[in-house]
Amino acid sequence: MSPYAEQPEDGAERHAIAPRRVSFDWERTPLHWIPDEPTATHVINVLHLLLPAGERWFVKVFKEALPLVTDRELLKDVKGFMGQEATHSVQHAYVLNHLAEQRLDTADFTRYVDFLFEKLLGERPPLGAPIPAREWLRFRLSLIAAIEQFTAVLGDWVLAAEGLDRAGADEVMLDLLRWHGAEEVEHRAVAFDMYQHCGGRGRPRYARRVAGMAVTAPMMLYMWVWGTAYLIRHDPQLAGRLRYSLAAHNRAVRKGLLPTWKELGAAVPRYLRRSYHPSQEGSLRRAVEYLAQSPAARTAAAAIVRAGT
């Protein structure tokens, strides 16, 4: 049973955001790190396909927007967010290396992910589209805010996902996912606040927020299904005997190995409420308590203490 499943939700506590320089040892982590559950394993493994390039892109876009930030507290939070996202990118890239060592090469898929973030969503609009630079930046900030809505939901889910503990999921992978999930809850409001601060005023700002979610939700669904199908198809241990199916996915959901479709879908109308703020999302208390107990986070904190003495 996960020790983080019973913590109550809480409100909008102010909380300092700072990166933790964690590391993980993947030597003993099996390819199917949820035993006998290849579909659930690879649905979650899509994170490793998307996040190295995606979170590098978050940092690049925020660097572009930093000169627009005039609020000192927000600037502090944004810099903490950028540090956390850069660390997430690196640690998930190491998992891709681990998959390659187990003969699951993801390069053919990640090339498309790199193209999405570096070219289609790069510093200049694609195909020379005549979009003003400030408007293009605001659009990309709206996408990041929408993506972070889902990462906060997923982060809160994995902290309380007792099904993964019952299934005997690999402890190192669980620590990676829960450390990352806890930090997503910890900085759940930063991307939204950054967009609100830099995204203009009034109805146009809200319209861009809606547009950001209208693009993000279907694109994430598409990339997740495509990524899962890719991983299962190229899994050397499955050798083509299995294909991704909605039935197998839903069986994993019923076992508590994946979030429900309702949990994910309900994140969209919440986000679209004019009065919404992500500080209402998940439990910061649960996230902070996990970070105090995470083996990787505790090791990183101890290293900082040793370096300072």
Side-chain angles (χ1 to χ4, degrees), residues 1-8 156-162 165 178 286:
M1 181 177 185
S2 170
Y4 315 102
E6 298 301 326
Q7 297 298 324
D156 195 60
W157 172 81
V158 78
L159 287 169
E162 298 178 3
D165 299 276
R178 286 176 170 159
R286 176 161 58 203

Side-chain angles (χ1 to χ4, degrees), residues 21-61:
R21 305 305 182 189
V22 299
S23 61
F24 301 89
D25 181 359
W26 299 111
E27 185 176 349
R28 294 183 176 84
T29 298
L31 184 58
H32 297 162
W33 54 268
I34 307 176
D36 303 315
E37 293 287 349
T39 294
T41 292
H42 287 316
V43 169
I44 297 177
N45 277 346
V46 174
L47 287 167
H48 312 309
L49 299 179
L50 301 180
L51 292 179
E55 295 190 304
R56 286 196 304 270
W57 175 73
F58 288 2
V59 174
K60 288 179 182 177
V61 175

Side-chain angles (χ1 to χ4, degrees), residues 115 119-131 136 139-140:
F115 178 77
K119 302 298 182 183
L120 294 183
L121 295 172
E123 190 171 351
R124 294 181 178 84
L127 304 176
I131 304 172
W136 181 238
F139 173 67
R140 289 179 294 148

Side-chain angles (χ1 to χ4, degrees), residues 6 55 57 109 134 139 142 206 247 273 307:
E6 298 301 326
E55 295 190 304
W57 175 73
F109 187 92
R134 178 66 62 88
F139 173 67
S142 78
Y206 178 71
R273 289 200 303 265

Side-chain angles (χ1 to χ4, degrees), residues 68-89:
L68 304 178
V69 179
T70 58
D71 182 275
R72 185 175 298 177
E73 289 300 321
L74 176 61
L75 185 62
K76 187 186 304 182
D77 286 347
V78 166
K79 289 181 177 179
F81 173 94
M82 292 166 67
Q84 288 188 343
E85 296 291 9
T87 304
H88 298 168
S89 175

Side-chain angles (χ1 to χ4, degrees), residues 10-17 71-78 186 188-190 193 277 279 284-285 288:
D10 44 20
E13 304 97 325
R14 183 95 190 147
H15 183 74
I17 298 166
D71 182 275
R72 185 175 298 177
E73 289 300 321
L74 176 61
L75 185 62
K76 187 186 304 182
D77 286 347
V78 166
E186 189 177 44
R188 59 196 170 178
V190 176
D193 289 343
H277 189 266
S279 58
L284 179 58
R285 183 179 298 112
V288 171

